[in-house]
mmCIF file with all atom_site columns, all heavy atoms in Angstrom:
data_model
loop_
_atom_site.group_PDB
_atom_site.id
_atom_site.type_symbol
_atom_site.label_atom_id
_atom_site.label_alt_id
_atom_site.label_comp_id
_atom_site.label_asym_id
_atom_site.label_entity_id
_atom_site.label_seq_id
_atom_site.pdbx_PDB_ins_code
_atom_site.Cartn_x
_atom_site.Cartn_y
_atom_site.Cartn_z
_atom_site.occupancy
_atom_site.B_iso_or_equiv
_atom_site.pdbx_formal_charge
_atom_site.auth_seq_id
_atom_site.auth_comp_id
_atom_site.auth_asym_id
_atom_site.auth_atom_id
_atom_site.pdbx_PDB_model_num
ATOM 1   N N   . ASP A 1 1  ? -1.116 7.686   -5.034 1.00 97.00 ? 693 ASP A N   1
ATOM 2   C CA  . ASP A 1 1  ? -1.660 8.951   -4.543 1.00 97.00 ? 693 ASP A CA  1
ATOM 3   C C   . ASP A 1 1  ? -0.975 10.116  -5.252 1.00 97.00 ? 693 ASP A C   1
ATOM 4   O O   . ASP A 1 1  ? -0.156 9.923   -6.161 1.00 97.00 ? 693 ASP A O   1
ATOM 5   C CB  . ASP A 1 1  ? -1.552 9.052   -3.018 1.00 97.00 ? 693 ASP A CB  1
ATOM 6   C CG  . ASP A 1 1  ? -0.112 9.170   -2.509 1.00 97.00 ? 693 ASP A CG  1
ATOM 7   O OD1 . ASP A 1 1  ? 0.824  9.392   -3.321 1.00 97.00 ? 693 ASP A OD1 1
ATOM 8   O OD2 . ASP A 1 1  ? 0.092  9.044   -1.290 1.00 97.00 ? 693 ASP A OD2 1
ATOM 9   N N   . ASN A 1 2  ? -1.294 11.348  -4.848 1.00 96.00 ? 694 ASN A N   1
ATOM 10  C CA  . ASN A 1 2  ? -0.768 12.522  -5.550 1.00 96.00 ? 694 ASN A CA  1
ATOM 11  C C   . ASN A 1 2  ? 0.729  12.706  -5.369 1.00 96.00 ? 694 ASN A C   1
ATOM 12  O O   . ASN A 1 2  ? 1.348  13.513  -6.068 1.00 96.00 ? 694 ASN A O   1
ATOM 13  C CB  . ASN A 1 2  ? -1.509 13.783  -5.095 1.00 96.00 ? 694 ASN A CB  1
ATOM 14  C CG  . ASN A 1 2  ? -1.318 14.060  -3.607 1.00 96.00 ? 694 ASN A CG  1
ATOM 15  O OD1 . ASN A 1 2  ? -1.117 13.153  -2.822 1.00 96.00 ? 694 ASN A OD1 1
ATOM 16  N ND2 . ASN A 1 2  ? -1.413 15.312  -3.219 1.00 96.00 ? 694 ASN A ND2 1
ATOM 17  N N   . LEU A 1 3  ? 1.348  11.970  -4.443 1.00 96.00 ? 695 LEU A N   1
ATOM 18  C CA  . LEU A 1 3  ? 2.801  12.021  -4.247 1.00 96.00 ? 695 LEU A CA  1
ATOM 19  C C   . LEU A 1 3  ? 3.500  10.802  -4.845 1.00 96.00 ? 695 LEU A C   1
ATOM 20  O O   . LEU A 1 3  ? 4.692  10.588  -4.621 1.00 96.00 ? 695 LEU A O   1
ATOM 21  C CB  . LEU A 1 3  ? 3.130  12.130  -2.753 1.00 96.00 ? 695 LEU A CB  1
ATOM 22  C CG  . LEU A 1 3  ? 2.652  13.415  -2.055 1.00 96.00 ? 695 LEU A CG  1
ATOM 23  C CD1 . LEU A 1 3  ? 2.993  13.366  -0.563 1.00 96.00 ? 695 LEU A CD1 1
ATOM 24  C CD2 . LEU A 1 3  ? 3.280  14.651  -2.696 1.00 96.00 ? 695 LEU A CD2 1
ATOM 25  N N   . GLY A 1 4  ? 2.760  10.007  -5.593 1.00 97.00 ? 696 GLY A N   1
ATOM 26  C CA  . GLY A 1 4  ? 3.344  8.835   -6.237 1.00 97.00 ? 696 GLY A CA  1
ATOM 27  C C   . GLY A 1 4  ? 3.506  7.640   -5.317 1.00 97.00 ? 696 GLY A C   1
ATOM 28  O O   . GLY A 1 4  ? 4.137  6.648   -5.691 1.00 97.00 ? 696 GLY A O   1
ATOM 29  N N   . ARG A 1 5  ? 2.897  7.695   -4.123 1.00 98.00 ? 697 ARG A N   1
ATOM 30  C CA  . ARG A 1 5  ? 3.013  6.599   -3.173 1.00 98.00 ? 697 ARG A CA  1
ATOM 31  C C   . ARG A 1 5  ? 1.894  5.581   -3.374 1.00 98.00 ? 697 ARG A C   1
ATOM 32  O O   . ARG A 1 5  ? 0.868  5.872   -3.977 1.00 98.00 ? 697 ARG A O   1
ATOM 33  C CB  . ARG A 1 5  ? 2.963  7.143   -1.747 1.00 98.00 ? 697 ARG A CB  1
ATOM 34  C CG  . ARG A 1 5  ? 4.056  8.152   -1.429 1.00 98.00 ? 697 ARG A CG  1
ATOM 35  C CD  . ARG A 1 5  ? 3.861  8.798   -0.071 1.00 98.00 ? 697 ARG A CD  1
ATOM 36  N NE  . ARG A 1 5  ? 2.566  9.471   0.026  1.00 98.00 ? 697 ARG A NE  1
ATOM 37  C CZ  . ARG A 1 5  ? 2.191  10.224  1.051  1.00 98.00 ? 697 ARG A CZ  1
ATOM 38  N NH1 . ARG A 1 5  ? 3.020  10.396  2.074  1.00 98.00 ? 697 ARG A NH1 1
ATOM 39  N NH2 . ARG A 1 5  ? 0.998  10.793  1.068  1.00 98.00 ? 697 ARG A NH2 1
ATOM 40  N N   . ILE A 1 6  ? 2.097  4.387   -2.825 1.00 98.00 ? 698 ILE A N   1
ATOM 41  C CA  . ILE A 1 6  ? 1.121  3.307   -2.956 1.00 98.00 ? 698 ILE A CA  1
ATOM 42  C C   . ILE A 1 6  ? 0.229  3.286   -1.715 1.00 98.00 ? 698 ILE A C   1
ATOM 43  O O   . ILE A 1 6  ? 0.726  3.072   -0.605 1.00 98.00 ? 698 ILE A O   1
ATOM 44  C CB  . ILE A 1 6  ? 1.827  1.951   -3.120 1.00 98.00 ? 698 ILE A CB  1
ATOM 45  C CG1 . ILE A 1 6  ? 2.737  1.970   -4.358 1.00 98.00 ? 698 ILE A CG1 1
ATOM 46  C CG2 . ILE A 1 6  ? 0.811  0.821   -3.201 1.00 98.00 ? 698 ILE A CG2 1
ATOM 47  C CD1 . ILE A 1 6  ? 3.628  0.750   -4.480 1.00 98.00 ? 698 ILE A CD1 1
ATOM 48  N N   . PRO A 1 7  ? -1.067 3.514   -1.851 1.00 98.00 ? 699 PRO A N   1
ATOM 49  C CA  . PRO A 1 7  ? -1.961 3.467   -0.691 1.00 98.00 ? 699 PRO A CA  1
ATOM 50  C C   . PRO A 1 7  ? -2.089 2.046   -0.142 1.00 98.00 ? 699 PRO A C   1
ATOM 51  O O   . PRO A 1 7  ? -2.196 1.081   -0.911 1.00 98.00 ? 699 PRO A O   1
ATOM 52  C CB  . PRO A 1 7  ? -3.299 3.961   -1.252 1.00 98.00 ? 699 PRO A CB  1
ATOM 53  C CG  . PRO A 1 7  ? -2.954 4.686   -2.515 1.00 98.00 ? 699 PRO A CG  1
ATOM 54  C CD  . PRO A 1 7  ? -1.758 3.961   -3.066 1.00 98.00 ? 699 PRO A CD  1
ATOM 55  N N   . VAL A 1 8  ? -2.087 1.932   1.188  1.00 98.00 ? 700 VAL A N   1
ATOM 56  C CA  . VAL A 1 8  ? -2.239 0.631   1.845  1.00 98.00 ? 700 VAL A CA  1
ATOM 57  C C   . VAL A 1 8  ? -3.141 0.795   3.064  1.00 98.00 ? 700 VAL A C   1
ATOM 58  O O   . VAL A 1 8  ? -3.352 1.905   3.561  1.00 98.00 ? 700 VAL A O   1
ATOM 59  C CB  . VAL A 1 8  ? -0.880 0.048   2.302  1.00 98.00 ? 700 VAL A CB  1
ATOM 60  C CG1 . VAL A 1 8  ? 0.004  -0.287  1.110  1.00 98.00 ? 700 VAL A CG1 1
ATOM 61  C CG2 . VAL A 1 8  ? -0.157 1.018   3.249  1.00 98.00 ? 700 VAL A CG2 1
ATOM 62  N N   . ASN A 1 9  ? -3.656 -0.336  3.581  1.00 97.00 ? 701 ASN A N   1
ATOM 63  C CA  . ASN A 1 9  ? -4.420 -0.300  4.816  1.00 97.00 ? 701 ASN A CA  1
ATOM 64  C C   . ASN A 1 9  ? -3.501 -0.572  6.012  1.00 97.00 ? 701 ASN A C   1
ATOM 65  O O   . ASN A 1 9  ? -2.272 -0.602  5.861  1.00 97.00 ? 701 ASN A O   1
ATOM 66  C CB  . ASN A 1 9  ? -5.592 -1.293  4.762  1.00 97.00 ? 701 ASN A CB  1
ATOM 67  C CG  . ASN A 1 9  ? -5.118 -2.739  4.597  1.00 97.00 ? 701 ASN A CG  1
ATOM 68  O OD1 . ASN A 1 9  ? -3.973 -3.081  4.887  1.00 97.00 ? 701 ASN A OD1 1
ATOM 69  N ND2 . ASN A 1 9  ? -6.016 -3.595  4.124  1.00 97.00 ? 701 ASN A ND2 1
ATOM 70  N N   . SER A 1 10 ? -4.053 -0.773  7.187  1.00 96.00 ? 702 SER A N   1
ATOM 71  C CA  . SER A 1 10 ? -3.240 -0.967  8.389  1.00 96.00 ? 702 SER A CA  1
ATOM 72  C C   . SER A 1 10 ? -2.436 -2.253  8.368  1.00 96.00 ? 702 SER A C   1
ATOM 73  O O   . SER A 1 10 ? -1.488 -2.415  9.141  1.00 96.00 ? 702 SER A O   1
ATOM 74  C CB  . SER A 1 10 ? -4.135 -0.944  9.637  1.00 96.00 ? 702 SER A CB  1
ATOM 75  O OG  . SER A 1 10 ? -5.084 -1.999  9.594  1.00 96.00 ? 702 SER A OG  1
ATOM 76  N N   . LYS A 1 11 ? -2.781 -3.165  7.461  1.00 97.00 ? 703 LYS A N   1
ATOM 77  C CA  . LYS A 1 11 ? -2.034 -4.424  7.295  1.00 97.00 ? 703 LYS A CA  1
ATOM 78  C C   . LYS A 1 11 ? -1.008 -4.317  6.168  1.00 97.00 ? 703 LYS A C   1
ATOM 79  O O   . LYS A 1 11 ? -0.362 -5.300  5.824  1.00 97.00 ? 703 LYS A O   1
ATOM 80  C CB  . LYS A 1 11 ? -2.998 -5.565  6.972  1.00 97.00 ? 703 LYS A CB  1
ATOM 81  C CG  . LYS A 1 11 ? -4.106 -5.762  7.987  1.00 97.00 ? 703 LYS A CG  1
ATOM 82  C CD  . LYS A 1 11 ? -3.577 -6.272  9.298  1.00 97.00 ? 703 LYS A CD  1
ATOM 83  C CE  . LYS A 1 11 ? -4.734 -6.591  10.249 1.00 97.00 ? 703 LYS A CE  1
ATOM 84  N NZ  . LYS A 1 11 ? -4.232 -7.016  11.575 1.00 97.00 ? 703 LYS A NZ  1
ATOM 85  N N   . PHE A 1 12 ? -0.908 -3.114  5.564  1.00 98.00 ? 704 PHE A N   1
ATOM 86  C CA  . PHE A 1 12 ? -0.016 -2.835  4.436  1.00 98.00 ? 704 PHE A CA  1
ATOM 87  C C   . PHE A 1 12 ? -0.463 -3.537  3.161  1.00 98.00 ? 704 PHE A C   1
ATOM 88  O O   . PHE A 1 12 ? 0.326  -3.795  2.262  1.00 98.00 ? 704 PHE A O   1
ATOM 89  C CB  . PHE A 1 12 ? 1.439  -3.172  4.794  1.00 98.00 ? 704 PHE A CB  1
ATOM 90  C CG  . PHE A 1 12 ? 1.913  -2.428  6.002  1.00 98.00 ? 704 PHE A CG  1
ATOM 91  C CD1 . PHE A 1 12 ? 2.035  -3.052  7.228  1.00 98.00 ? 704 PHE A CD1 1
ATOM 92  C CD2 . PHE A 1 12 ? 2.177  -1.069  5.929  1.00 98.00 ? 704 PHE A CD2 1
ATOM 93  C CE1 . PHE A 1 12 ? 2.413  -2.350  8.361  1.00 98.00 ? 704 PHE A CE1 1
ATOM 94  C CE2 . PHE A 1 12 ? 2.551  -0.356  7.051  1.00 98.00 ? 704 PHE A CE2 1
ATOM 95  C CZ  . PHE A 1 12 ? 2.683  -1.001  8.269  1.00 98.00 ? 704 PHE A CZ  1
ATOM 96  N N   . GLN A 1 13 ? -1.753 -3.797  3.102  1.00 98.00 ? 705 GLN A N   1
ATOM 97  C CA  . GLN A 1 13 ? -2.369 -4.428  1.938  1.00 98.00 ? 705 GLN A CA  1
ATOM 98  C C   . GLN A 1 13 ? -2.858 -3.335  0.985  1.00 98.00 ? 705 GLN A C   1
ATOM 99  O O   . GLN A 1 13 ? -3.448 -2.342  1.409  1.00 98.00 ? 705 GLN A O   1
ATOM 100 C CB  . GLN A 1 13 ? -3.545 -5.276  2.411  1.00 98.00 ? 705 GLN A CB  1
ATOM 101 C CG  . GLN A 1 13 ? -4.050 -6.315  1.459  1.00 98.00 ? 705 GLN A CG  1
ATOM 102 C CD  . GLN A 1 13 ? -5.056 -7.225  2.156  1.00 98.00 ? 705 GLN A CD  1
ATOM 103 O OE1 . GLN A 1 13 ? -5.781 -6.794  3.051  1.00 98.00 ? 705 GLN A OE1 1
ATOM 104 N NE2 . GLN A 1 13 ? -5.104 -8.477  1.757  1.00 98.00 ? 705 GLN A NE2 1
ATOM 105 N N   . THR A 1 14 ? -2.581 -3.497  -0.306 1.00 98.00 ? 706 THR A N   1
ATOM 106 C CA  . THR A 1 14 ? -3.027 -2.530  -1.311 1.00 98.00 ? 706 THR A CA  1
ATOM 107 C C   . THR A 1 14 ? -4.468 -2.817  -1.723 1.00 98.00 ? 706 THR A C   1
ATOM 108 O O   . THR A 1 14 ? -5.140 -3.664  -1.123 1.00 98.00 ? 706 THR A O   1
ATOM 109 C CB  . THR A 1 14 ? -2.124 -2.591  -2.554 1.00 98.00 ? 706 THR A CB  1
ATOM 110 O OG1 . THR A 1 14 ? -2.343 -3.837  -3.240 1.00 98.00 ? 706 THR A OG1 1
ATOM 111 C CG2 . THR A 1 14 ? -0.650 -2.483  -2.174 1.00 98.00 ? 706 THR A CG2 1
ATOM 112 N N   . GLU A 1 15 ? -4.922 -2.118  -2.758 1.00 97.00 ? 707 GLU A N   1
ATOM 113 C CA  . GLU A 1 15 ? -6.264 -2.373  -3.299 1.00 97.00 ? 707 GLU A CA  1
ATOM 114 C C   . GLU A 1 15 ? -6.406 -3.803  -3.798 1.00 97.00 ? 707 GLU A C   1
ATOM 115 O O   . GLU A 1 15 ? -7.515 -4.331  -3.873 1.00 97.00 ? 707 GLU A O   1
ATOM 116 C CB  . GLU A 1 15 ? -6.549 -1.408  -4.454 1.00 97.00 ? 707 GLU A CB  1
ATOM 117 C CG  . GLU A 1 15 ? -6.571 0.055   -4.069 1.00 97.00 ? 707 GLU A CG  1
ATOM 118 C CD  . GLU A 1 15 ? -6.741 0.951   -5.282 1.00 97.00 ? 707 GLU A CD  1
ATOM 119 O OE1 . GLU A 1 15 ? -5.714 1.321   -5.881 1.00 97.00 ? 707 GLU A OE1 1
ATOM 120 O OE2 . GLU A 1 15 ? -7.881 1.271   -5.618 1.00 97.00 ? 707 GLU A OE2 1
ATOM 121 N N   . VAL A 1 16 ? -5.284 -4.407  -4.158 1.00 98.00 ? 708 VAL A N   1
ATOM 122 C CA  . VAL A 1 16 ? -5.287 -5.800  -4.615 1.00 98.00 ? 708 VAL A CA  1
ATOM 123 C C   . VAL A 1 16 ? -4.913 -6.675  -3.423 1.00 98.00 ? 708 VAL A C   1
ATOM 124 O O   . VAL A 1 16 ? -3.799 -6.563  -2.897 1.00 98.00 ? 708 VAL A O   1
ATOM 125 C CB  . VAL A 1 16 ? -4.292 -6.005  -5.771 1.00 98.00 ? 708 VAL A CB  1
ATOM 126 C CG1 . VAL A 1 16 ? -4.291 -7.451  -6.229 1.00 98.00 ? 708 VAL A CG1 1
ATOM 127 C CG2 . VAL A 1 16 ? -4.625 -5.072  -6.927 1.00 98.00 ? 708 VAL A CG2 1
ATOM 128 N N   . PRO A 1 17 ? -5.783 -7.537  -2.934 1.00 97.00 ? 709 PRO A N   1
ATOM 129 C CA  . PRO A 1 17 ? -5.568 -8.271  -1.682 1.00 97.00 ? 709 PRO A CA  1
ATOM 130 C C   . PRO A 1 17 ? -4.288 -9.094  -1.600 1.00 97.00 ? 709 PRO A C   1
ATOM 131 O O   . PRO A 1 17 ? -3.751 -9.292  -0.501 1.00 97.00 ? 709 PRO A O   1
ATOM 132 C CB  . PRO A 1 17 ? -6.803 -9.188  -1.610 1.00 97.00 ? 709 PRO A CB  1
ATOM 133 C CG  . PRO A 1 17 ? -7.845 -8.479  -2.407 1.00 97.00 ? 709 PRO A CG  1
ATOM 134 C CD  . PRO A 1 17 ? -7.103 -7.803  -3.522 1.00 97.00 ? 709 PRO A CD  1
ATOM 135 N N   . THR A 1 18 ? -3.765 -9.528  -2.735 1.00 98.00 ? 710 THR A N   1
ATOM 136 C CA  . THR A 1 18 ? -2.555 -10.361 -2.702 1.00 98.00 ? 710 THR A CA  1
ATOM 137 C C   . THR A 1 18 ? -1.269 -9.542  -2.713 1.00 98.00 ? 710 THR A C   1
ATOM 138 O O   . THR A 1 18 ? -0.180 -10.101 -2.598 1.00 98.00 ? 710 THR A O   1
ATOM 139 C CB  . THR A 1 18 ? -2.536 -11.309 -3.912 1.00 98.00 ? 710 THR A CB  1
ATOM 140 O OG1 . THR A 1 18 ? -2.617 -10.535 -5.118 1.00 98.00 ? 710 THR A OG1 1
ATOM 141 C CG2 . THR A 1 18 ? -3.658 -12.315 -3.850 1.00 98.00 ? 710 THR A CG2 1
ATOM 142 N N   . ILE A 1 19 ? -1.402 -8.216  -2.860 1.00 98.00 ? 711 ILE A N   1
ATOM 143 C CA  . ILE A 1 19 ? -0.221 -7.359  -3.006 1.00 98.00 ? 711 ILE A CA  1
ATOM 144 C C   . ILE A 1 19 ? -0.133 -6.386  -1.830 1.00 98.00 ? 711 ILE A C   1
ATOM 145 O O   . ILE A 1 19 ? -1.098 -5.691  -1.510 1.00 98.00 ? 711 ILE A O   1
ATOM 146 C CB  . ILE A 1 19 ? -0.259 -6.582  -4.335 1.00 98.00 ? 711 ILE A CB  1
ATOM 147 C CG1 . ILE A 1 19 ? -0.326 -7.559  -5.518 1.00 98.00 ? 711 ILE A CG1 1
ATOM 148 C CG2 . ILE A 1 19 ? 0.974  -5.682  -4.462 1.00 98.00 ? 711 ILE A CG2 1
ATOM 149 C CD1 . ILE A 1 19 ? -0.500 -6.888  -6.869 1.00 98.00 ? 711 ILE A CD1 1
ATOM 150 N N   . TYR A 1 20 ? 1.042  -6.334  -1.211 1.00 98.00 ? 712 TYR A N   1
ATOM 151 C CA  . TYR A 1 20 ? 1.308  -5.478  -0.058 1.00 98.00 ? 712 TYR A CA  1
ATOM 152 C C   . TYR A 1 20 ? 2.419  -4.488  -0.430 1.00 98.00 ? 712 TYR A C   1
ATOM 153 O O   . TYR A 1 20 ? 3.162  -4.694  -1.382 1.00 98.00 ? 712 TYR A O   1
ATOM 154 C CB  . TYR A 1 20 ? 1.750  -6.315  1.139  1.00 98.00 ? 712 TYR A CB  1
ATOM 155 C CG  . TYR A 1 20 ? 0.685  -7.248  1.677  1.00 98.00 ? 712 TYR A CG  1
ATOM 156 C CD1 . TYR A 1 20 ? 0.233  -8.348  0.937  1.00 98.00 ? 712 TYR A CD1 1
ATOM 157 C CD2 . TYR A 1 20 ? 0.120  -7.049  2.931  1.00 98.00 ? 712 TYR A CD2 1
ATOM 158 C CE1 . TYR A 1 20 ? -0.748 -9.205  1.427  1.00 98.00 ? 712 TYR A CE1 1
ATOM 159 C CE2 . TYR A 1 20 ? -0.858 -7.901  3.442  1.00 98.00 ? 712 TYR A CE2 1
ATOM 160 C CZ  . TYR A 1 20 ? -1.283 -8.981  2.687  1.00 98.00 ? 712 TYR A CZ  1
ATOM 161 O OH  . TYR A 1 20 ? -2.250 -9.821  3.178  1.00 98.00 ? 712 TYR A OH  1
ATOM 162 N N   . ALA A 1 21 ? 2.548  -3.414  0.343  1.00 98.00 ? 713 ALA A N   1
ATOM 163 C CA  . ALA A 1 21 ? 3.625  -2.442  0.111  1.00 98.00 ? 713 ALA A CA  1
ATOM 164 C C   . ALA A 1 21 ? 4.083  -1.869  1.446  1.00 98.00 ? 713 ALA A C   1
ATOM 165 O O   . ALA A 1 21 ? 3.284  -1.684  2.373  1.00 98.00 ? 713 ALA A O   1
ATOM 166 C CB  . ALA A 1 21 ? 3.164  -1.322  -0.815 1.00 98.00 ? 713 ALA A CB  1
ATOM 167 N N   . ILE A 1 22 ? 5.388  -1.595  1.552  1.00 98.00 ? 714 ILE A N   1
ATOM 168 C CA  . ILE A 1 22 ? 5.992  -1.106  2.791  1.00 98.00 ? 714 ILE A CA  1
ATOM 169 C C   . ILE A 1 22 ? 7.101  -0.100  2.475  1.00 98.00 ? 714 ILE A C   1
ATOM 170 O O   . ILE A 1 22 ? 7.557  0.014   1.348  1.00 98.00 ? 714 ILE A O   1
ATOM 171 C CB  . ILE A 1 22 ? 6.591  -2.269  3.627  1.00 98.00 ? 714 ILE A CB  1
ATOM 172 C CG1 . ILE A 1 22 ? 7.657  -3.004  2.797  1.00 98.00 ? 714 ILE A CG1 1
ATOM 173 C CG2 . ILE A 1 22 ? 5.522  -3.231  4.107  1.00 98.00 ? 714 ILE A CG2 1
ATOM 174 C CD1 . ILE A 1 22 ? 8.443  -4.055  3.583  1.00 98.00 ? 714 ILE A CD1 1
ATOM 175 N N   . GLY A 1 23 ? 7.538  0.620   3.513  1.00 98.00 ? 715 GLY A N   1
ATOM 176 C CA  . GLY A 1 23 ? 8.728  1.457   3.390  1.00 98.00 ? 715 GLY A CA  1
ATOM 177 C C   . GLY A 1 23 ? 8.485  2.806   2.751  1.00 98.00 ? 715 GLY A C   1
ATOM 178 O O   . GLY A 1 23 ? 7.403  3.391   2.847  1.00 98.00 ? 715 GLY A O   1
ATOM 179 N N   . ASP A 1 24 ? 9.483  3.314   2.066  1.00 98.00 ? 716 ASP A N   1
ATOM 180 C CA  . ASP A 1 24 ? 9.439  4.660   1.499  1.00 98.00 ? 716 ASP A CA  1
ATOM 181 C C   . ASP A 1 24 ? 8.403  4.818   0.392  1.00 98.00 ? 716 ASP A C   1
ATOM 182 O O   . ASP A 1 24 ? 8.028  5.936   0.060  1.00 98.00 ? 716 ASP A O   1
ATOM 183 C CB  . ASP A 1 24 ? 10.815 5.045   0.929  1.00 98.00 ? 716 ASP A CB  1
ATOM 184 C CG  . ASP A 1 24 ? 11.840 5.353   2.006  1.00 98.00 ? 716 ASP A CG  1
ATOM 185 O OD1 . ASP A 1 24 ? 11.509 5.204   3.204  1.00 98.00 ? 716 ASP A OD1 1
ATOM 186 O OD2 . ASP A 1 24 ? 12.966 5.733   1.655  1.00 98.00 ? 716 ASP A OD2 1
ATOM 187 N N   . CYS A 1 25 ? 7.962  3.719   -0.207 1.00 98.00 ? 717 CYS A N   1
ATOM 188 C CA  . CYS A 1 25 ? 7.012  3.835   -1.319 1.00 98.00 ? 717 CYS A CA  1
ATOM 189 C C   . CYS A 1 25 ? 5.572  3.970   -0.839 1.00 98.00 ? 717 CYS A C   1
ATOM 190 O O   . CYS A 1 25 ? 4.653  4.046   -1.649 1.00 98.00 ? 717 CYS A O   1
ATOM 191 C CB  . CYS A 1 25 ? 7.162  2.666   -2.292 1.00 98.00 ? 717 CYS A CB  1
ATOM 192 S SG  . CYS A 1 25 ? 6.704  1.061   -1.625 1.00 98.00 ? 717 CYS A SG  1
#
């Protein structure tokens, strides 16, 4: 996103279904 963060859904899943992201990023 515009702040350099990784967008995720409510399950912390990214646009790529096998990759998740959590925390400060």
